[in-house]
Amino acid sequence: MKLESKLSKVSNRIKSSIIRELLKDASLPGIISFGGGVPDPKTFPREKLAEISSEIINKEYAMTLQYGTTEGDPLLKKEYMKLMEKYYGVDWLHEDNMVFTVGSQQALYLIGMTFLDEQSWMSASKPIYLGAASAFIQRGPNFINVPLTEDGMDLDYLEKNLEELKQKGEIENFKFAYVISNFHNPAGVSMSLDKRRKLIQLAEKYDFYIVEDDPYGALRFEGDPIPSIYSMAPERTVLLNTFSKVLSPGLRIGAVMGPKDVIRRITMVKQAADLCSSPLTHRLAARYMEKYDLVEEIQPTIKLYAKKKDWMMEALEETFSDIEGIEWVNPEGGLFTWLTLPEGIDTMDMFPLAKENKVLYIPGEAFYIGEPERNKMRMSFCLPPKEDIFEGIKRLRKTIETYCEEKGIELKIKTKK
Ligand SMILES: Cc1ncc(COP(=O)(O)O)c(C=O)c1O
């Protein structure tokens, strides 16, 4: 039987993750990988979690080993509400404003299911987080791909496109703007307060929701925190947080907060997807939050990533500052920097050579819905130790030089003043 002829439209739209393909060799000996955005396992509080795990299985097994509610553990909600109030000034949350998902990735998928059809429109930054692109593309909507600048999306571009949709009588079909407000994946940049306010104004003017995806906001190394879009417009924003980068991705817990009617819809869709997420990991996270202050506990992790980011910046400066047309983002938090190489370099095409030289990155091409910018790459600094960061960047220089030589691309060396 010919499988393709039997597959659904959605299934036919799905491509396997480029990142997974590219990073198959990341753990081979001798390879230095700046590829995945995975936390350093040394940061996981394993002894504390082990102790709580044993207690909640022994003493709370009737709850932890049973099915749970679709929305998630009420105790986890209570603890999460306390955290939102204490650290983010969000003091209006009610249980009905929250649903826990299987990581933020499931939240993205459920939001796609809840809002998008083939006639729908949405906007996202260009570049876009690959996992969000996969979740939304499945629904087949139309995208406004909004260029990203150093202080967030180009909102003039968005407004111009929204106005055009309005003129065409299609603005009703514009469902939401998808935004990564802090330390963008892959681009490392954050949206300024002015732009957050302006986006809210646009949402009010053109009547759409904002989906604020914020897995990295708590991982700030420097600069002042910026209020979340959700905290300024809770009636039209859906906020996606996750335990993945602040406790452990293995728990697979995402926290979705938003207006009650939206949360109810998302919960209904989730019910069809999985009935409920794991009461066991929910209770583990809840008891952890009850016993320890999540934000205080991650301070050593933040310090570690801050150091790694500084080493990465130092290595890039040492290795590339003499070449014209190479730029990189110095992020104030999160896990990524975003490199722009001189025009003509195609980072996907260069990837096999990098692999030969035993250094891995994610080619920029992976992060675009429309026409990609081929001379970009995402580099994650959270996993490799110091010496590997410096050695990996050296290998990258060698890779770029060899690639340019082979392709006849002239690398312009800056003249010393
Ligand atoms: C921007 C963004 N959103 C969502 C996710 C998904 O995170 P998780 O499903 O682990 O919560 C990630 C993971 O890297 C991410 O970078």
Side-chain angles (χ1 to χ4, degrees), residues 42-54 284 288 291-292:
K42 288 198 273 306
T43 66
F44 302 147
R46 58 187 183 284
E47 276 116 22
K48 291 172 179 161
L49 289 175
E51 194 187 315
I52 299 172
S53 298
S54 162
L284 178 54
Y288 182 85
K291 231 170 155 174
Y292 307 102

Side-chain angles (χ1 to χ4, degrees), residues 103-105 129 180 185 213 215-216 242 244-245 252:
S104 283
Q105 187 59 39
Y129 165 56
I180 301 171
N185 178 3
D213 189 6
Y216 305 106
T242 174
S244 289
K245 318 292 171 170
R252 305 308 298 131

Side-chain angles (χ1 to χ4, degrees), residues 118-150:
E118 285 167 359
Q119 308 75 19
S120 307
W121 283 84
M122 60 163 288
S123 72
S125 59
K126 176 185 156 190
I128 179 175
Y129 165 56
L130 180 67
S134 327
F136 299 144
I137 283 171
Q138 288 199 12
R139 304 294 305 153
N142 303 286
F143 286 90
I144 301 177
N145 297 312
V146 187
L148 203 54
T149 63
E150 60 194 24

Side-chain angles (χ1 to χ4, degrees), residues 363-386:
E365 193 179 317
F367 303 100
Y368 291 84
I369 286 175
E371 186 51 30
E373 296 175 286
R374 297 185 192 280
N375 58 336
K376 311 264 184 182
M377 61 168 74
R378 188 190 81 179
M379 309 258 286
S380 162
F381 44 78
C382 53
L383 210 49
K386 181 178 181 182

